[in-house]
Amino acid sequence: MERQVATWAAQRPVVIFSKSTDGISHSIRTLLTDFGVNPAVYELDQMPRGHEIEQALYRLGCTSVPAVFIGGELVGGSNEIISLHLSQSLIPMLKRANAIWV
C-alpha cells in the first residue's frame, strides 16, 4: 500500500490525505487553496481501503491526518504545514513544486 500512496503523491504537485469530517483537514485544504493550489484530495473515510491507506501513511511517518505531500514528498500533517506557513517557507516550497505560479 505504501507504493500506491507514493504513486498518488507523485501524480500532482500537492496531495492531501484527509478525512471529510475532520475540521483541521478542512482548514489545511482551505489554506492551500487560498494560495491558489489545486490539491488532489483523498478522503480516507470515503475510500473502500481508507483504513489500509491510513496505516500506510503511518508507516511512512505521518501519524495523523491530514497528511500532505508537496512535490511527491511527505511534508507531514497540520502542524508541519502551519509551521512552514508561519516561517514563510510554505509558499516557496509550493512554487518549487509548481503548485502555484505567482
Side-chain angles (χ1 to χ4, degrees):
M1 190 56 67
E2 288 88 344
R3 181 174 286 161
Q4 182 63 53
V5 168
T7 299
W8 286 332
Q11 290 177 341
R12 298 277 292 275
V14 177
V15 176
I16 303 171
F17 292 90
S18 67
K19 292 186 179 176
S20 62
T21 57
D22 180 45
I24 298 296
S25 293
H26 175 75
S27 297
I28 295 300
R29 275 194 314 273
T30 300
L31 173 69
L32 293 170
T33 57
D34 284 352
F35 290 141
V37 174
N38 184 20
V41 179
Y42 294 94
E43 300 289 4
L44 299 175
D45 57 332
Q46 297 178 353
M47 299 175 72
R49 298 177 70 190
H51 181 69
E52 291 176 45
I53 296 166
E54 190 171 359
Q55 292 301 313
L57 290 166
Y58 181 79
R59 288 188 296 273
L60 290 170
C62 194
T63 59
S64 65
V65 293
V68 181
F69 288 78
I70 298 176
E73 298 295 323
L74 176 62
V75 174
S78 57
N79 289 342
E80 290 78 12
I81 296 299
I82 297 300
S83 293
L84 287 168
H85 176 53
L86 292 175
S87 69
Q88 299 181 347
S89 301
L90 182 58
I91 289 177
M93 181 182 285
L94 293 169
K95 285 180 181 177
R96 284 191 304 275
N98 292 319
I100 57 176
W101 295 272
V102 177

